[in-house]
Amino acid sequence: MKSAVYSWRVASERKAALEAMARRQRRSVAELLDEAVSQWLDQQAENDDGEAVQQQLRHAASSTFGRITGGDPNRAQEASARVREKLLSRRKRAR
């Protein structure tokens, strides 16, 4: 049973739109507003849960950011030369 009352000011255009929608749906404005607020609160709860999951994922992934393990500290500087060598060796094998 609903017993709490909440009131606030709205623009007259919004009030008229709410009343028209309530009439079309054959419901009271209070029912319409209760449903709208309930849906909005559910959506906010889902967004909050989603954000918490995203924070956990970012935290778990952050330990690997910027790390490449391979044992060769000069790999980045030598990458283009190594690629050239591999391409040349493939061309030689293809002949």
Side-chain angles (χ1 to χ4, degrees):
M1 179 176 178
K2 299 174 190 173
S3 59
V5 176
Y6 189 88
S7 65
W8 67 93
R9 295 188 180 278
V10 296
S12 55
E13 301 87 25
R14 184 161 295 131
K15 181 181 178 197
L18 282 167
E19 290 170 341
M21 181 64 70
R23 276 192 302 277
R24 279 196 298 273
Q25 294 184 6
R26 297 175 188 225
R27 299 166 64 192
S28 69
V29 172
E31 288 174 322
L32 196 67
L33 289 172
D34 189 52
E35 181 182 340
V37 169
S38 179
Q39 289 176 1
W40 183 83
L41 288 171
D42 290 345
Q43 181 184 15
Q44 296 307 306
E46 287 175 13
N47 289 345
D48 289 346
D49 291 344
E51 182 59 31
V53 169
Q54 288 299 315
Q55 286 179 348
Q56 290 173 345
L57 290 172
R58 282 192 291 270
H59 178 70
S62 67
S63 64
T64 62
F65 292 163
R67 294 183 185 180
I68 298 175
T69 56
D72 186 357
N74 298 318
R75 180 176 28 208
Q77 290 89 357
E78 298 171 2
S80 59
R82 289 181 182 183
V83 169
R84 272 194 293 274
E85 286 174 18
K86 285 189 178 205
L87 290 173
L88 284 173
S89 68
R90 285 185 185 172
R91 286 184 193 148
K92 288 179 184 177
R93 277 187 263 154
R95 289 182 187 173

